[in-house]
Amino acid sequence: MRDRSRFAILRALIAGYAAVWTAVRAPALLDPLDYAARRLDPVGPLAFLDAPVADVFLVGAVIATPIAAALLALGCHERWSGPAAAIGFLFVTTYRNSWGQLFHTENLVALHLAVLALASFSPPTDDEDGRRWAVEAMAVLTVGTYFLAGVAKWRISGTAWLDGDVLRHQIAFDNARKEILGDTSSPFAGWLLRHGWLLGPAAVASVLVELAAPLALLRGRVAAVWCGLALLFHWAVLAFMAILFPYHLLGIGLAPLLPVERLGTTVAGWTGRFREASPTSTLPG
Amino acid sequence: MPRWFRLLLVGLAAAVVLSPLTRPPRSDTYPLSTYPMFASDRGALHDIATVVEVKADGSTVRLSPELIAGTDEVILAAVTVTRAVAGGQAEELCAEVASRLGEGRRARVQTERHDVVELVAEGAPPRSIDVHAECARA
């Protein structure tokens, strides 16, 4: 029963996040309606496009995706809401990435939704094996993305990444670009750059967290400690680069590694205590 | 579900997410990224293209990504300006921004050379400015 409830809570968290994100970001997802066709630079599953998609198609996808994701989060009609949410999310985010700039904040959401979509065809059972594969697959996807980010630093910059200069230039460039293009930059970046000795240890720590991600598959305390360090990493990125990874910052991206089914037990416990304390619960009949 | 089948599915997930390792590290795509975004040394000196508003007294004011490129995503705005300058379309971009600014206001497409560490740490001014186009709403 444990893994089935873990699956259900993960489905609610991940699909719920996708529903809220696509609803809140709908205006940005519709921005391409106003872009000049010359700016189209299709990527990933939309690499075949040689012209923008029809406006009505984009509008339909932006409307349908949060609805499908909300239904999936609630566990309603998951045989169609699962695939619809996964395909819709993949489409609207890929299309948003097809105008000259790749964003890296929704990759893990898209991958987790794909697993939820596949799992929707797997019959729910009351034993531990029911959808355990999906929980484990999502955990592997989470650690895989962090591990890849760490490996990329080694593949591209080697040990040079560790002395802090690469990090100094990344933080400075990202904040400078925000200032020059009229966006909000980090109020702490200047302070960090003036205390440059901090950047070497910060660079080593960030690569270690990324490369150590597979250890979190050991579960238990190891996973909890690693998730805590990963959260700290994302808060530091937000503080010093003003870059928001909401899926990770909220802990949802890390949730497949944690015993989230206890969240349900805790909430049920609170609800029970509230009912016991409520005067209406003592009324007869 | 048999254990071997469960392990096969989990192994497939691992193969999919790690598949970018078979590509060159800078060969990025979505959703299977190589995550190269913070991996390379960008250096301190940068030419950053932008669009500013020019006031009547000649001073300049920074514009938002929304006014520059019709988006709230700063990176997308940066790419839009860089591509317009590189592709010889600075005049067209200038006209687009001026139309968003409205009557009587002037836009200027320019590339600023900065030491980005000095800019962020000390607020240093640009080392040079290269103007590509300046216009008002037609």
Side-chain angles (χ1 to χ4, degrees):
Chain A
M1 197 64 192
R2 184 192 60 177
D3 270 8
R4 189 181 167 198
S5 68
R6 181 179 293 192
F7 175 84
I9 289 172
L10 287 173
R11 183 180 60 196
L13 288 172
I14 294 165
Y17 174 87
V20 171
W21 187 89
T22 47
V24 170
R25 296 298 293 159
L29 295 172
L30 291 172
D31 276 348
L33 295 173
D34 299 324
Y35 293 166
R38 62 179 156 81
R39 288 170 62 181
L40 182 69
D41 184 12
V43 296
L46 295 180
F48 64 90
L49 285 179
D50 53 12
V53 299
D55 288 357
V56 67
F57 190 79
L58 178 61
V59 172
V62 169
I63 291 171
T65 301
I67 295 170
L71 289 171
L72 178 63
L74 296 170
C76 298
H77 309 291
E78 63 174 329
R79 289 254 167 124
W80 71 262
S81 64
I87 292 169
F89 190 88
L90 183 64
F91 169 73
V92 296
T93 52
T94 305
Y95 198 62
R96 170 179 176 252
N97 280 311
S98 293
W99 299 87
Q101 178 59 42
L102 284 171
F103 297 89
H104 297 92
T105 40
E106 282 73 51
N107 302 49
L108 190 55
V109 192
L111 296 176
H112 281 169
L113 283 172
V115 172
L116 290 178
L118 288 174
S120 66
F121 294 100
S122 167
T125 58
D126 286 344
D127 62 66
E128 285 201 355
D129 278 344
R131 286 164 166 182
R132 185 169 160 187
W133 71 269
V135 175
E136 291 176 352
M138 288 190 286
V140 163
L141 292 173
T142 294
V143 301
T145 55
Y146 283 90
F147 184 71
L148 275 181
V151 169
K153 292 177 178 68
W154 283 103
R155 289 176 83 193
I156 293 174
S157 292
T159 53
W161 212 90
L162 300 177
D163 67 12
D165 267 359
V166 178
L167 186 58
R168 171 185 291 108
H169 294 147
Q170 287 284 352
I171 291 171
F173 174 75
D174 198 78
N175 281 286
R177 183 169 56 184
K178 287 188 169 95
E179 286 184 22
I180 292 165
L181 286 137
D183 199 15
T184 306
S185 60
S186 160
F188 309 112
W191 175 86
L192 183 62
L193 293 176
R194 288 191 295 274
H195 296 79
W197 62 272
L198 288 167
L199 290 162
V204 172
S206 59
V207 170
L208 280 178
V209 168
E210 289 172 336
L211 292 178
L215 291 176
L217 294 175
L218 295 173
R219 305 280 180 181
R221 283 191 184 171
V222 178
V225 168
W226 183 82
C227 287
L229 292 171
L231 268 181
L232 192 64
F233 168 82
H234 284 294
W235 280 106
V237 170
L238 177 63
F240 297 116
M241 299 180 83
I243 296 175
L244 184 66
F245 283 83
Y247 190 61
H248 305 72
L249 273 173
L250 291 169
I252 299 171
L254 305 168
L257 294 161
L258 298 169
V260 287
E261 67 276 17
R262 290 183 196 163
L263 190 67
T265 311
T266 306
V267 172
W270 288 342
T271 311
R273 260 177 263 163
F274 175 76
R275 282 186 183 146
E276 281 170 21
S278 166
T280 54
S281 66
T282 60
L283 290 174
Chain B
M1 177 180 291
R3 179 179 157 81
W4 68 267
F5 191 62
R6 177 165 62 83
L7 291 175
L8 177 69
L9 291 172
V10 175
L12 273 175
V16 167
V17 75
L18 294 177
S19 65
L21 287 173
T22 62
R23 304 198 307 261
R26 288 190 173 83
S27 169
D28 202 10
T29 189
Y30 179 87
L32 296 172
S33 174
T34 51
Y35 297 98
M37 61 280 196
F38 302 131
S40 56
D41 191 353
R42 292 175 175 273
L45 269 185
H46 286 273
D47 293 321
I48 301 177
T50 188
V51 188
V52 295
E53 181 180 359
V54 184
K55 295 291 187 186
D57 63 0
S59 63
T60 57
V61 177
R62 298 268 181 226
L63 299 176
S64 67
E66 188 71 46
L67 284 167
I68 292 172
T71 174
D72 62 355
E73 302 281 5
V74 66
I75 304 174
L76 197 50
V79 170
T80 302
V81 184
T82 302
R83 284 191 172 179
V85 170
Q89 295 165 325
E91 300 280 354
E92 288 93 324
L93 176 65
C94 191
E96 282 176 24
V97 176
S99 72
R100 287 192 202 104
L101 279 174
E103 199 79 36
R105 295 169 71 181
R106 296 187 69 77
R108 178 193 285 165
V109 182
Q110 62 186 31
T111 299
E112 302 177 17
R113 169 156 284 208
H114 283 275
D115 181 316
V116 291
V117 177
E118 288 178 1
L119 169 64
V120 176
E122 299 152 23
R127 297 195 171 186
S128 63
I129 296 176
D130 188 10
V131 176
H132 306 288
E134 187 170 325
C135 59
R137 187 175 179 176

